Amino acid sequence: MRPASVALVTATALTALVTLSGCGGTSQAADPAQPSARPFEGLPFTGVLIADGEHYCTASVIDSPKGNMLATAAHCVHFQGEDASEGYEPGPITGDIEFAPRFSGAGEGTFPYGKWKVSGVHVPTAWTEDDDDRGDYAFLTVEPDAQGRSVQEVVGAATPDWSSGPRRHVTVVGYPNESYNPGNRPITCTTDTRQDDDEPYMLQMRCGGFYDGTSGGPWLADHHDARRPGRLIGVLSGGDTDAESTAVLFDKGARELYERVARGTAKSA
């Protein structure tokens, strides 16, 4: 697998990447009957993607044989062909990407488990060739740390579920961008999902507070705590507002891509 990038990503390109793909959403009036996300201490295996010194999306460690894989949204790491109309070349973002598990704190923040260099970016052909939102997930590989440990050895991981139905009780975790979240604290919401009426391959949940930056965050079914994280059934893809979020439900295609990446036979984007 070739490295994910060569040159540094600019802040403008990062903003375009998440904006063009519709991640997060605009604010709307609070509905007293609807839950809202709350800040919390975070999960060891969930953190932020960082490029050009800024965090811009959420990712989590997914259980794998080599312990070196992350799950996030495809639009966090790869421009679609339709984005070319906005002046951006289709393909992976150009920049050194790092993963910072359990990142938190104002300003530069703190990195309790360090930063892990992304070495490979893998997105489905539905995303790269068909510009289809049903492919809005990605599996990344990261390099070992200086001691030779895998990221999973250090922070743990969530086990994927490839056969989930659309109605689940989930805990969703994300990192809103600093403009919405000056303390850079992770947020979480536990609620029920349903099938999206307009895009039946998508899960939908209603919970306030999932602004830009939360894209790629894990949807964990039957989550209890860090020791009992539940099952990863998808990652946050988008939503028209901060209070209505969607995720592509992991399926057979997602499993096939995951298995190729785990075997080391998948071509990096």
Side-chain angles (χ1 to χ4, degrees):
M1 290 178 286
R2 66 177 175 83
S5 55
V6 177
L8 287 178
V9 152
T10 65
T12 301
L14 288 178
T15 300
L17 190 66
V18 295
T19 301
L20 290 172
S21 305
C23 95
T26 57
S27 180
Q28 67 175 30
D31 178 352
Q34 178 176 291
S36 293
R38 60 176 178 82
F40 79 128
E41 67 276 8
L43 295 170
F45 58 84
T46 298
V48 295
L49 296 179
I50 297 175
D52 202 20
E54 297 183 17
H55 71 87
Y56 68 100
C57 269
T58 304
S60 56
V61 184
I62 183 171
D63 182 61
S64 65
K66 296 180 181 178
N68 66 339
M69 288 178 62
L70 311 177
T72 190
H75 74 254
C76 290
V77 291
H78 197 286
F79 283 111
Q80 286 184 310
E82 63 186 23
D83 297 333
S85 62
E86 303 292 334
Y88 296 94
E89 291 294 326
I93 66 171
T94 54
D96 290 319
I97 308 172
E98 295 176 301
F99 172 62
R102 210 169 187 174
F103 168 78
S104 187
E108 296 183 358
T110 60
F111 303 89
Y113 298 107
K115 300 177 185 178
W116 301 73
K117 182 177 174 57
V118 172
S119 57
V121 172
H122 306 273
V123 295
T125 55
W127 183 261
T128 59
E129 297 178 8
D130 303 328
D131 290 351
D132 193 333
D133 286 347
R134 73 184 64 214
D136 195 7
Y137 58 87
F139 300 117
L140 315 182
T141 54
V142 297
E143 296 180 356
D145 67 5
Q147 287 76 47
R149 300 174 299 177
S150 72
V151 66
Q152 185 171 327
E153 286 182 83
V154 176
V155 302
T159 301
D161 183 345
W162 310 112
S163 58
S164 175
R167 293 187 176 275
R168 298 296 294 271
H169 192 63
V170 299
T171 296
V172 181
V173 179
Y175 282 81
N177 285 342
E178 193 169 9
S179 56
Y180 298 105
N181 180 27
N184 288 321
R185 296 186 64 188
I187 61 170
T188 184
C189 184
T190 299
T191 188
D192 294 322
T193 66
R194 64 180 181 84
Q195 191 172 48
D196 189 279
D197 293 334
D198 299 321
E199 299 171 304
Y201 51 86
M202 289 277 196
L203 298 173
Q204 185 183 81
M205 72 161 188
R206 294 191 61 80
C207 187
F210 284 86
Y211 300 100
D212 289 349
T214 58
S215 282
W219 290 42
L220 300 166
D222 304 320
H223 169 82
H224 293 280
D225 51 37
R227 293 185 177 182
R228 297 175 296 170
R231 313 265 309 174
L232 181 64
I233 63 172
V235 294
L236 196 147
S237 176
D240 293 332
T241 71
D242 72 291
E244 186 175 278
S245 301
T246 57
V248 179
L249 184 64
F250 282 168
D251 60 5
K252 178 182 177 182
R255 181 174 188 169
E256 290 174 351
L257 177 59
Y258 163 89
E259 290 178 344
R260 292 200 304 273
V261 176
R263 291 194 303 265
T265 59
K267 184 179 178 181
S268 186

